[in-house]
Amino acid sequence: MRWRRYGEHAALLDCTSLEEMSAARATLTQAALDGVEEIVPGARTLLVVASTSALEAARSLLASADLSHPPAADVREVVLDVRYSGEDLSLVAEDAGRSVDEVVTLHTSAVYTVAFTGFAPGFGYLAGLPAELQQPRLSSPRTRVPAGSVAIADEYTGVYPRESPGGWRLIGHTEATLFDPSAEQPALFTPGLRVRFRSV
């Protein structure tokens, strides 16, 4: 891990892997250090917005922490109902060397964790995609992906919270609301949330 200053009141932690970043985030979140205002995870980075003294405390904490065994925490879980009829479902099955039913079983049998958010308000990058389903993005992104589209790309699965362009492989659709700016908590997906998918 390597720390870098990120303005006057923040520091960016470069991590070696998604797992290390997730463990560092869990460690800092559970510690609830005074003076830490915000913790923003990325694929291999962790931005900590805090006072100078809190940043020093965060550095010391992570330097001595065993990130191979992150602290356990009470984790919320949501289950999303999905119609597995996405435009790329057959392509995913073909590239995986599996039947469509096997792809659905693999996708619904996994337990995912929101590793970080980005791309669009409410979009979460969900870690935990089975290795058999890990496939690259489409070579030519679509100009329009419907809201609620369930998709996969590389090591992640995700759900498009609104209509937008996108290059992930579409395997299904959910009616769940992923982002509501008028809600007390606008985004359904927040880092650390556990997610399951259920075929309907």
Side-chain angles (χ1 to χ4, degrees):
M1 296 186 299
R2 181 171 67 96
W3 286 95
R4 291 183 285 158
R5 290 294 300 181
Y6 204 81
E8 293 184 11
H9 302 292
L12 189 69
L13 178 65
D14 292 317
C15 301
T16 58
S17 66
L18 176 65
E19 292 74 21
E20 186 177 64
M21 181 283 296
S22 297
R25 183 198 61 78
T27 300
L28 290 178
T29 299
Q30 187 178 75
L33 299 172
D34 289 338
V36 173
E37 297 179 11
E38 191 173 11
I39 300 171
V40 184
R44 301 289 186 276
T45 60
L46 195 67
L47 177 66
V48 181
V49 181
S51 64
T52 300
S53 60
L55 288 174
E56 288 302 322
R59 286 191 180 94
S60 297
L61 175 63
L62 292 182
S64 61
D66 180 5
L67 296 183
S68 63
H69 296 88
D74 293 331
V75 179
R76 292 190 307 116
E77 180 176 297
V78 298
V79 179
L80 300 185
D81 290 336
V82 177
R83 295 194 312 275
Y84 284 91
S85 57
E87 293 180 49
D88 302 313
L89 184 57
S90 295
L91 173 64
V92 168
E94 180 181 348
D95 285 358
R98 303 277 183 150
S99 69
V100 166
D101 286 345
E102 287 174 326
V103 168
V104 173
T105 298
L106 282 167
H107 194 258
T108 56
S109 63
V111 180
Y112 303 93
T113 301
V114 179
F116 57 98
T117 58
F119 169 63
F123 188 91
Y125 290 77
L126 278 58
L129 184 67
E132 299 93 328
L133 298 182
Q134 294 182 13
Q135 300 181 10
R137 290 168 170 79
L138 297 172
S139 56
S140 298
R142 292 182 171 88
T143 57
R144 177 185 175 276
V145 174
S149 293
V150 179
I152 63 172
D154 302 320
E155 61 192 293
Y156 303 107
T157 190
V159 184
Y160 285 80
R162 63 179 183 179
E163 181 180 312
S164 68
W168 289 31
R169 298 182 180 213
L170 309 183
I171 61 173
H173 184 271
T174 181
E175 297 294 335
T177 299
L178 277 294
F179 186 75
D180 179 0
S182 65
E184 183 176 347
Q185 180 177 301
L188 176 63
F189 287 167
T190 55
L193 178 72
R194 186 175 293 145
V195 181
R196 296 176 186 265
F197 295 98
R198 178 170 56 201
S199 179
V200 295

